[in-house]
Amino acid sequence: MENPSPAISSDSVVIAAVHGPIGHIQLNRASKLNALTLQMLTELSRVLRAWAADPAISLVLLTGRGERAFCAGGDIADFHAAVTTGRHQDFADLLSAEFELDYLISAYPKPLISLAHGITMGGGIGLASHAPVRLVTPNAAMGMPEAKIGYTPDVGGSHLLANAPGHFGEYYAMSAQSFTGADAVLLGFADVVVTEEFAANILDELEEFAGLNAGEIAAAIEVMHGAPESFALEMDRGWIDHAFSAGSPQEVIERLGQMVHPAAQRAAQLLAANCPTSMASAFYNVRAARAEQDLRSALDRELRSARYLMHRPDLAEGIRAQVIDKDRNPAWIPASLDDVDHAALRSLAAGSED
């Protein structure tokens, strides 16, 4: 492979370099699990737009530096600071920039290969799971954990969850549980599970794929470097589909409470600990996304929901309990699904903020 062209300084939060026909972007905030800031989002967008117009670049690779994470999502401490100091518009502006980047990735005009490893949550899913070629290592920890912190799946997560088999989407949205990279293909969050060896040396392997389209690249990588994907989740599909196909979030809870399956009982315990308003928002947004099948609409819906939820006390309280004080004992308002303003959440999901 040719020597790379001059890169952005290694102290930059995003490192971009060109290696022959390959543009390589690295998230470079490993000490913070590559959590996204507005500076990172702005630089990612700038580089991707420039490379889209550069005829010398035939494919793009997006990775995260450090062994622990591809990207743990948005910088939660920044979110907490914004919503507790009245800077809600700053939070909304960051989300808008992030969602536009996710949509750019989804419609990228060249093969853009994402490689998810380690922790890949929330905003990390937005970068990794909308790319034209989505690679993942078997042991990656992926998910949309927002219901644990008083928020709702965003970055197009409701669209991805809506397209998971059966009602896995409602289950993962409401429970905020994670899944492995080996499960990601079954759930529709990745195209190919790759070996750890290939992931560690991916840049040295890609030049031979230059000139192929995204589908051809994914197929070739799967044949040459694929690792086994998991189908273990299929064992849980029966009870998940029964409970989470219910017509309302409250009925989901009722069905779980009537089931004797140990996994269903564990799910009931998970939901009991999560934010009721967040779970209801997630439920309605996944259902609406499934009906529309349009990423742009899902992103718009998620932004409406975010603008609503960021003004409620649950988001600040959830971040406090899970990330700042770490007492894992949030006081949700309201504390019961029965007391949630379901009409407001259904209105947001349907496209009205009134």
Side-chain angles (χ1 to χ4, degrees):
M1 180 171 289
E2 298 176 15
N3 292 329
S5 65
I8 297 170
S9 163
S10 60
D11 355 343
S12 173
V13 291
V14 172
I15 298 175
V18 175
H19 307 257
I22 300 169
H24 183 198
I25 308 177
Q26 299 176 81
L27 307 178
N28 187 36
R29 206 170 172 233
S31 64
K32 298 293 185 181
L33 303 179
N34 293 321
L36 296 168
T37 64
L38 182 59
Q39 179 187 2
M40 295 172 75
L41 297 169
T42 302
E43 183 62 12
L44 284 165
S45 295
R46 184 192 69 79
V47 172
L48 285 174
R49 291 182 190 282
W51 285 353
D54 187 342
I57 294 177
S58 61
L59 64 87
V60 175
L61 172 66
L62 174 61
T63 63
R65 280 198 159 189
E67 295 183 359
R68 296 176 61 199
F70 167 71
C71 175
D75 192 310
I76 298 296
D78 285 355
F79 295 168
H80 187 266
V83 300
T84 55
T85 60
R87 294 186 291 109
H88 297 85
Q89 189 58 47
D90 290 347
F91 186 15
D93 290 344
L94 183 145
L95 292 177
S96 294
E98 183 175 15
F99 294 5
E100 287 304 315
L101 173 60
D102 296 330
Y103 193 75
L104 170 65
I105 287 172
S106 76
Y108 205 66
K110 297 179 180 180
L112 192 165
I113 303 170
S114 63
L115 173 60
H117 78 283
I119 299 169
T120 304
M121 300 280 177
I125 294 287
L127 298 182
S129 294
H130 295 305
V133 182
R134 307 170 301 167
L135 309 181
V136 64
T137 59
N139 296 320
M142 307 179 76
M144 303 299 298
E146 290 81 5
K148 291 181 179 179
I149 61 164
Y151 190 46
T152 193
D154 64 356
V155 299
S158 64
H159 174 76
L160 292 163
L161 290 165
N163 283 283
H167 292 275
F168 280 120
E170 288 92 337
Y171 166 71
Y172 280 106
M174 294 179 72
S175 70
Q177 282 295 281
S178 60
F179 51 89
T180 69
D183 295 320
V185 174
L186 173 67
L187 292 172
F189 283 71
D191 299 310
V192 182
V193 185
V194 297
T195 65
E196 298 284 355
E197 180 182 5
F198 174 73
N201 300 287
I202 185 169
L203 195 58
D204 295 327
E205 304 281 354
L206 286 185
E207 193 162 353
E208 63 184 296
F209 302 123
L212 300 180
N213 65 37
E216 292 167 338
I217 291 172
I221 290 176
E222 182 173 21
V223 169
M224 298 170 65
H225 305 287
E229 58 186 88
S230 173
F231 296 93
L233 288 178
E234 289 284 13
M235 299 292 292
D236 290 319
R237 182 165 173 180
W239 70 263
I240 286 176
D241 280 0
H242 174 71
F244 289 88
S245 63
S248 69
Q250 299 98 309
E251 189 181 349
V252 169
I253 301 294
E254 291 171 8
R255 290 187 182 185
L256 287 172
Q258 296 165 357
M259 298 172 73
V260 297
H261 195 297
Q265 295 175 0
R266 288 193 295 272
Q269 293 172 352
L270 291 171
L271 269 60
N274 288 343
C275 174
T277 299
S278 294
M279 291 191 294
S281 174
F283 177 91
Y284 296 128
N285 285 354
V286 169
R287 289 286 169 93
R290 185 178 292 126
E292 283 192 350
Q293 290 295 314
D294 182 75
L295 175 59
R296 179 77 269 175
S297 293
L299 290 166
D300 292 344
R301 181 181 303 109
E302 291 165 356
L303 188 57
R304 291 194 299 271
S305 299
R307 290 180 182 276
Y308 175 82
L309 294 171
M310 71 174 66
H311 288 280
R312 296 184 50 78
D314 287 334
L315 180 55
E317 171 64 3
I319 296 174
R320 179 206 65 76
Q322 298 291 347
V323 179
I324 298 175
D325 297 339
K326 299 183 179 179
D327 58 32
R328 308 290 194 264
N329 188 32
W332 304 124
I333 302 173
S336 167
L337 264 173
D338 290 336
D339 297 323
V340 166
D341 190 344
H342 292 275
L345 296 175
R346 285 194 296 265
S347 180
L348 287 164
S352 170
E353 296 181 73
D354 299 331

